[in-house]
């Protein structure tokens, strides 16, 4: 047993199952501290996630208590400064799991160098992914830019690996405190209390993640392929915020699905997990895409700045019911159905000609499952400027999309009660509805743009690049 203290740096791994870094710390040391570094700057535009983070810290602190481990939360402006100070001591060995984002991986290298130069022991373990980024490359060593061959190779690589023996977290001998000036998790909560509604819908934590997965496997996975596109029903797993915060490892999802189910739905569902891996691969091989267009020709795209349109979009007041319902679902629940994410995204960049980066920023602030890889890739997919993206000229018609995926308008009526009296004939085109009790412009906005005109303008703008 190592006499030093085991320090585990908690990032996106709020779980006991398949948490290699934490398990190793408890196996090797009698005394372990888990610490979380809260950097306000990271969460500046991630308001919704502050709520999930705060709740997750409370939940994880309780879990760790049972293992005699203290979770200490520290506020810092700079990871670098924090570790420069910490590594002045040498009474610990540090452990952490990878986060597959370029800034984190770059920092891992920096920290490793510091620790080596000071003779401090450390161990970096695998993070929440099926494969390491470097494992999946084309035969010529270059990164994949198209999803299907990526996934073929990634799935094979994962299956060919001999599964490592699962390391279990051990109860440590005695509980200690280590850091000074810790903060309480409640301090992280957003100032504005709009998140109160989240509390009625979500229960952040590992137990809920595992329960949601079992529920999904038992009741929905076999029909996932057919039902995943319909926002009026719960057809998907809704595991995304749990996955983002590492409350469940994707290997656990893989094992549970493979062991308990065999259906086309299972294959399709695991392919979606594959998209997450693909997005990680993209942002690490092409990190410039986190802030800029993956496809450089879009750098010259004539985006329009229109604060009135942008504000109507954010508030769900565009006059297109499926778009507005999606935006209200997002604000109210911190989540939006994937099909509707594509529809509202397409509407912003194609009908309103507003730069995808505006949408990306708003989603970042409102989504509980926000992840840089999937958000940036999702937006660039929609805008047509990403790798393996939907072509720009394929413009979603919000009326037809609504009629196809929310035929009776149940989803729309749930989020837009002002349209509750409209029949399915009018629900996706309320401007055709005439009734004394329902007045366009008073009860619901006129469409801010006309679909056909907007479509032609978008195609025109696209021709310019
Ligand atoms: P399920 O259908 O049950 O899928 C299971 C898991 O697979 C998801 O939890 C997620 O981890 C992964 N997954 C599913 N679809 C995708 C996808 N298209 N791309 C990448 N991973 C996927 N997903 C995020 O996790 N974070 C984001 O910030 C995010 N932003 C997006 C922005 C846009 C514009 C678009 C079009 C998509 C975005 N997505 C994002 C992808 C997708 O919408 C969500 O992952 C999905 O809706 C989550 O719901 P679920 O857990 O029920 O998914």
């Amino acid at each position: 047993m190592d006499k030093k203290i085991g320090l585990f740096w908690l990032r996106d791994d709020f779980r006991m199952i398949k948490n290699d870094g934490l398990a190793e710390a408890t196996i090797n040391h009698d005394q372990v501290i888990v610490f979380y570094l809260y950097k306000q700057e990271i969460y500046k535009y991630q308001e919704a996630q502050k709520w999930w983070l705060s709740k997750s810290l409370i939940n994880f602190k309780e879990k760790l208590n049972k293992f005699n481990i203290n979770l200490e939360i520290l506020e810092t402006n700079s990871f670098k400064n924090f570790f420069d100070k910490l590594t002045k001591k040498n009474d610990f060995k540090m452990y952490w799991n990878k986060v597959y984002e370029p800034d984190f991986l770059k920092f891992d290298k920096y920290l490793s160098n510091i620790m080596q130069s000071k003779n401090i022991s450390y161990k970096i373990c695998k993070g929440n992914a099926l494969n390491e980024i470097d494992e999946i490359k084309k035969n010529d060593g270059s990164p994949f830019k198209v999803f299907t061959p990526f996934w073929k190779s990634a799935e094979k690589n994962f299956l060919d690996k001999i599964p490592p023996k699962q390391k279990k977290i051990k109860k440590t001998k005695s509980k200690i405190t280590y850091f000074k000036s810790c903060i309480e998790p409640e301090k992280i909560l957003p100032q504005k209390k709009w998140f109160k509604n989240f509390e009625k819908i979500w229960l952040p934590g590992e137990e809920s993640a595992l329960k949601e997965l079992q529920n999904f496997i038992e009741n929905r996975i076999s029909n996932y392929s057919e039902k995943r596109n319909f926002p009026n029903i719960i057809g998907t797993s809704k595991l995304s915020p749990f996955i983002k915060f590492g409350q469940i490892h994707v290997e656990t999802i893989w094992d549970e699905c493979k062991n308990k189910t065999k259906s086309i739905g299972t294959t399709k569902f695991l392919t979606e997990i594959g998209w997450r891996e693909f997005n990680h691969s993209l942002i690490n091989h092409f990190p410039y895409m986190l802030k800029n267009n993956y496809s450089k020709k879009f750098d010259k795209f004539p985006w329009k700045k229109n604060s009135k349109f942008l504000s109507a979009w954010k508030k769900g007041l565009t006059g297109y019911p499926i778009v507005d319902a999606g935006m209200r679902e997002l604000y109210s629940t911190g989540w939006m159905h994937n099909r509707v994410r594509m529809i509202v995204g397409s509407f912003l960049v194609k009908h309103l000609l507003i730069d995808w980066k505006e949408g990306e920023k708003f989603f970042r602030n409102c989504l509980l499952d926000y992840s840089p890889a999937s958000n940036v890739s999702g937006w660039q997919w929609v805008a047509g400027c990403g790798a393996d993206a939907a072509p720009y000229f394929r413009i979603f018609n919000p009326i037809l999309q609504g009629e196809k995926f929310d035929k009776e308008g149940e989803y729309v009526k749930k989020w837009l009660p002002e349209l509750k009296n409209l029949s399915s004939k009018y629900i996706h085109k309320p401007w055709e509805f005439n009734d004394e009790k329902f007045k366009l412009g008073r009860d619901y906005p006129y469409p801010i743009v006309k679909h056909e005109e907007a479509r032609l303008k978008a195609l025109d703008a696209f021709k310019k690049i």
Side-chain angles (χ1 to χ4, degrees):
M1 194 57 84
D2 194 325
K3 289 275 168 270
K4 291 190 172 178
I5 293 163
L7 290 185
F8 175 71
W9 181 15
L10 170 68
R11 283 117 62 108
D12 282 348
D13 8 63
F14 287 81
R15 64 182 176 278
M16 294 291 180
I17 300 170
K18 284 198 194 268
N19 187 334
D20 286 352
L22 179 56
E24 290 232 14
T26 62
I27 292 163
N28 298 334
H29 303 265
D30 282 338
Q31 292 177 316
V32 171
I33 284 283
V34 173
F35 67 101
Y36 186 86
L37 295 181
Y38 178 63
K39 196 168 149 191
Q40 276 208 20
E41 194 194 304
I42 293 185
Y43 278 89
K44 198 165 158 198
Y45 299 109
Q46 289 163 227
E47 281 293 302
Q49 284 196 329
K50 284 187 189 169
W51 175 79
W52 194 285
L53 174 65
S54 171
K55 295 285 165 194
S56 302
L57 285 163
I58 296 169
N59 173 282
F60 206 52
K61 204 174 165 74
E62 279 170 20
K63 282 171 84 101
L64 289 168
N65 257 330
K66 296 186 189 136
F67 289 80
N68 266 340
I69 301 169
N70 227 342
L71 166 58
E72 302 192 332
I73 308 161
L74 296 130
E75 210 168 344
T76 181
N77 296 327
S78 147
F79 289 162
K80 195 170 167 289
N81 290 351
F82 176 84
F83 285 105
D84 285 349
K85 218 166 128 196
L86 179 68
T87 51
K88 293 209 164 78
K89 302 201 263 183
N90 197 349
D91 59 349
F92 63 87
K93 175 169 175 180
M94 207 170 107
Y95 301 79
W96 68 95
N97 301 324
K98 283 185 204 167
V99 171
Y100 297 101
E101 291 168 23
D103 281 352
F104 277 101
L105 294 178
K106 206 166 125 197
F107 192 76
D108 287 355
K109 282 202 183 116
Y110 168 80
L111 197 50
S112 318
N113 286 338
I114 295 269
M115 295 214 168
Q116 278 165 24
S117 70
K118 296 188 176 183
N119 258 332
I120 299 173
S121 312
Y122 66 93
K123 183 153 187 197
I124 309 175
C125 299
K126 188 177 167 213
N128 195 2
L130 298 175
N131 295 303
E132 295 287 358
I133 302 290
D134 289 346
E135 284 177 329
I136 314 303
K137 281 188 182 150
K138 290 197 228 168
N139 289 340
D140 64 4
S142 63
F144 284 101
K145 297 174 182 169
V146 177
F147 174 71
T148 307
F150 167 87
W151 184 229
K152 213 171 144 198
S153 167
E155 198 178 13
K156 182 173 180 323
N157 188 68
F158 177 65
L159 291 173
D160 285 351
K161 279 190 264 196
I162 300 163
K165 215 172 148 244
Q166 230 231 91
K167 296 180 189 108
K168 287 215 170 113
I169 292 165
K170 248 181 64 188
K171 190 169 179 176
T172 61
K173 236 182 191 165
S174 59
K175 196 168 161 183
I176 51 158
T177 55
Y178 189 77
F179 292 102
K180 290 194 190 102
S181 331
C182 298
I183 60 165
E184 291 302 321
E186 288 80 3
K187 201 188 158 203
I188 291 168
L189 283 174
Q191 298 291 318
K192 219 172 128 197
K193 298 276 183 282
W194 100 102
F195 59 78
K196 284 278 162 208
N197 198 44
F198 297 172
E199 281 163 14
K200 297 182 206 144
I201 308 166
W202 303 97
L203 192 58
E206 186 174 19
E207 305 78 5
S208 310
L210 294 167
K211 222 157 85 190
E212 290 295 332
L213 176 64
Q214 289 318 320
N215 188 352
F216 176 66
I217 289 175
E218 276 161 35
N219 302 308
R220 304 199 293 275
I221 201 167
S222 53
N223 293 322
Y224 177 77
S225 303
E226 304 90 72
K227 301 215 164 148
R228 62 186 285 271
N229 265 314
F230 297 93
N232 59 324
I233 47 173
I234 303 180
T236 64
S237 70
K238 297 193 93 168
L239 279 170
S240 50
F242 298 98
I243 297 176
K244 149 68 200 164
F245 282 84
Q247 279 151 343
I248 190 160
H249 197 290
V250 283
E251 282 181 14
T252 306
I253 295 181
W254 182 282
D255 291 345
E256 289 292 301
C257 289
K258 285 281 179 190
N259 291 341
K260 296 190 177 156
T261 64
K262 258 190 200 76
S263 66
I264 299 170
T266 310
T267 309
K268 182 74 190 149
F269 176 68
L270 293 173
T271 308
E272 295 306 314
I273 300 286
W275 271 97
R276 175 179 174 271
E277 301 256 325
F278 181 53
N279 293 342
H280 281 147
S281 168
L282 286 176
I283 62 156
N284 280 289
H285 289 296
F286 309 101
Y288 70 88
M289 71 179 278
L290 283 166
K291 295 217 164 68
N292 294 300
N293 302 308
Y294 168 87
S295 163
K296 303 257 192 237
K297 74 172 180 203
F298 273 80
D299 291 353
K300 292 206 177 80
F301 194 90
W303 300 115
K304 298 244 182 312
K305 285 209 183 319
N306 187 328
S307 53
K308 229 172 85 193
F309 279 181
L310 182 59
S311 166
W313 179 80
K314 286 180 183 175
K315 290 179 180 154
L317 292 172
T318 67
Y320 285 92
I322 191 83
V323 175
D324 294 341
M327 297 309 288
R328 304 227 200 141
E329 177 182 34
L330 173 64
Y331 193 73
S332 176
T333 68
W335 185 87
M336 193 198 293
H337 190 278
N338 182 59
R339 166 61 46 184
V340 193
R341 290 188 206 205
M342 295 193 287
I343 299 171
V344 304
S346 170
F347 190 83
L348 184 79
V349 294
K350 297 179 185 174
H351 285 74
L352 304 183
L353 289 172
I354 291 177
D355 193 340
W356 63 266
K357 292 184 206 81
E358 292 288 351
E360 197 274 338
K361 191 168 159 194
F362 190 68
F363 268 32
R364 189 190 326 159
N365 218 18
C366 297
L367 279 175
L368 291 168
D369 65 25
Y370 164 68
S371 97
S374 290
N375 204 37
V376 157
S377 305
W379 273 98
Q380 298 215 39
W381 185 91
V382 165
C385 58
D388 204 3
Y392 185 88
F393 55 79
R394 197 177 297 151
I395 297 172
F396 277 161
N397 176 333
I399 306 152
L400 295 182
Q401 286 286 312
E403 287 173 348
K404 185 164 176 197
F405 295 108
D406 183 33
K407 199 163 176 236
E408 300 301 320
E410 289 159 301
Y411 174 75
V412 160
K413 287 181 187 177
K414 178 169 180 193
W415 298 109
L416 307 176
E418 61 269 44
L419 300 184
K420 68 176 187 300
N421 293 326
L422 270 69
S423 68
S424 54
K425 186 172 170 201
Y426 297 109
I427 192 71
H428 294 290
K429 34 187 182 208
W431 51 89
E432 287 184 3
F433 185 65
N434 254 327
D435 187 303
E436 275 172 15
K437 281 192 235 128
F438 177 81
K439 201 166 176 307
L440 212 62
R442 181 194 68 191
D443 300 317
Y444 185 67
Y446 283 98
I448 55 173
V449 287
K450 286 203 171 114
H451 167 68
E452 199 43 40
E453 276 173 25
R455 196 179 76 85
L456 294 174
K457 273 192 192 164
L459 292 175
D460 220 35
F462 184 57
K463 274 189 208 136
K464 297 202 170 100
I465 61 162

